[in-house]
Amino acid sequence: MKDFLRHIYYLLCRYVFILLPDKHFHILTTYLTFKRFNAPFYDMNLEQPRSFNEKLNYLKMHHQNPLGTLVADKVAVRNYVKEKIGEQYLIPVLGVYNTAAEIPFEQLPEKFVLKTNHGSGWNVVCTNKQTLDIALTRKKFNRWLGYNAFYLSREYQYKNIPPAILCESFLRYNIEDYKFFCFNGEPAFVQIDIGRFTKHERAYYDTNWQKLDFSICYSIAKEEVPKPAQLNEMLEVVRKLSKDFLFARVDLYLHDDRVFFGEITMFPEGAHGPFLNNADDYKVGELLQLPSL
């Protein structure tokens, strides 16, 4: 049912909402997301933006970083990461395929991860190949390859990515994932998702590992997240990867005491993720300094 509803929403964005000017589209999709999370919506000002969400949507409309398409492409970004921080931070790749029919399931290991290179959330994590529905998996990827993520949130960087399927080595299920929010190449805080497949909560910490009293989309996690021993290394990595962006969220994984690159996201939650308190949306917005465009 969820896949069906997501498909219907994509069709709405692609063929109905596309008639809306950018400004009205961004306000509408932000409103719908706020309602989905039962968050109080506020009157968005995209001419003189002040909140974090307002500024991100302003950037979508008025500022196209030439590196955007490169880092949004999960295949092409690997060369960018290799040049910036070294190949040792990349998760090993088992294959890249242009169609679902090309995936050689019989040659893949028992555990692996399949994902499209041109969007977010279009992936399959296989922890046991013997129980994987291969026909259904091919069907999903055939549908996803026909999508263009640009139409879901009008993020320009997705529009011209040639669709492909990336197969990566499986590290661990529910792996430790650290999402660093970086402003002009300097990390300000990190997001950690907890109970993603049960009761989803989030914890936010500053770079000194002091817990922050806000959250985006989900409630603040009560449990404390231990400071990773590799924090200084992670901070140095995200500085190098984000220095060419006004804002970027850089995601890193920890596995067997090693740091791995996850992705670079320019517009978290599609630029319409509700803060639990709208005042925090404006407070974080102060960190994002817009240029004179």
Side-chain angles (χ1 to χ4, degrees):
M1 177 59 80
K2 283 186 178 180
D3 283 345
F4 174 74
L5 292 175
R6 287 172 181 150
H7 181 62
I8 294 301
Y9 184 71
Y10 176 80
L11 294 178
L12 280 172
C13 290
R14 176 66 181 88
Y15 296 106
V16 180
F17 296 165
I18 194 63
L19 301 175
L20 295 172
D22 284 348
K23 174 185 172 182
H24 296 98
F25 173 83
H26 294 316
I27 292 174
L28 172 63
T29 50
T30 302
Y31 172 80
L32 293 174
T33 304
F34 274 51
K35 284 298 181 184
R36 181 163 67 90
F37 285 100
N38 198 29
F41 183 71
Y42 59 90
D43 187 19
M44 297 189 73
N45 186 340
L46 299 185
E47 281 78 31
Q48 296 180 319
R50 293 173 49 237
S51 74
F52 185 55
N53 279 304
E54 286 173 341
K55 288 184 175 181
L56 287 182
N57 280 295
Y58 182 88
L59 288 175
K60 279 200 285 187
M61 292 189 294
H62 300 294
H63 179 69
Q64 295 189 8
N65 189 310
L67 291 173
T69 299
L70 173 68
V71 300
D73 184 331
K74 292 180 175 62
V75 174
V77 72
R78 293 177 61 85
N79 285 329
Y80 180 81
V81 172
K82 181 179 177 180
E83 292 174 4
K84 290 286 185 179
I85 58 175
E87 193 172 13
Q88 68 272 22
Y89 290 101
L90 293 170
I91 298 173
V93 165
L94 302 176
V96 178
Y97 320 105
N98 293 316
T99 68
E102 294 178 17
I103 305 173
F105 286 101
E106 67 284 353
Q107 299 174 21
L108 296 178
E110 287 302 300
K111 299 180 180 181
F112 53 86
V113 177
L114 289 167
K115 59 181 70 173
T116 64
N117 69 320
H118 68 307
S120 178
W122 300 335
N123 52 64
V124 170
V125 179
C126 176
T127 58
N128 183 352
K129 191 168 69 171
Q130 304 309 313
T131 62
L132 179 68
D133 188 330
I134 292 177
L136 179 60
T137 299
R138 291 193 196 276
K139 182 178 179 181
K140 285 182 176 180
F141 277 98
N142 280 330
R143 183 171 70 249
W144 291 335
L145 288 175
Y147 289 167
N148 187 321
F150 166 80
Y151 296 105
L152 289 168
S153 57
R154 298 205 190 168
E155 297 180 46
Y156 67 88
Q157 70 273 16
Y158 288 123
K159 192 169 187 178
N160 297 311
I161 298 176
I165 302 168
L166 176 67
C167 185
E168 292 181 338
S169 297
F170 176 86
L171 298 182
R172 190 174 72 250
Y173 196 67
N174 202 16
I175 195 169
E176 293 172 278
D177 187 1
Y178 299 84
K179 302 177 184 296
F180 290 85
F181 286 62
C182 304
F183 300 83
N184 285 311
E186 188 60 34
F189 55 86
V190 58
Q191 169 188 310
I192 302 102
D193 288 83
I194 297 168
R196 187 177 300 172
F197 306 108
T198 52
K199 183 186 177 183
H200 198 160
E201 297 178 322
R202 283 175 172 169
Y204 290 80
Y205 288 83
D206 66 17
T207 55
N208 294 314
W209 215 253
Q210 297 298 308
K211 194 172 185 180
L212 303 173
D213 62 351
F214 69 81
S215 186
I216 303 172
C217 294
Y218 300 96
S219 60
I220 301 174
K222 296 180 178 62
E223 66 179 270
E224 295 294 325
V225 178
K227 176 181 176 181
Q230 299 82 2
L231 179 61
N232 287 338
E233 179 186 0
M234 296 165 84
L235 291 173
E236 190 58 32
V237 162
V238 300
R239 286 188 180 101
K240 291 178 180 178
L241 291 177
S242 67
K243 75 185 190 77
D244 295 320
F245 299 89
L246 294 173
F247 169 80
R249 195 194 74 198
V250 182
D251 300 357
L252 302 177
Y253 300 125
L254 271 184
H255 176 63
D256 288 344
D257 297 326
R258 282 187 59 190
V259 177
F260 287 94
F261 169 76
E263 64 178 298
I264 297 175
T265 301
M266 299 171 64
F267 304 103
E269 314 295 343
H272 33 68
F275 285 70
L276 297 187
N277 186 328
N278 285 339
D280 293 321
D281 197 346
Y282 286 90
K283 187 181 298 184
V284 173
E286 294 175 2
L287 299 174
L288 179 50
Q289 301 299 313
L290 298 179
S292 177
L293 300 176

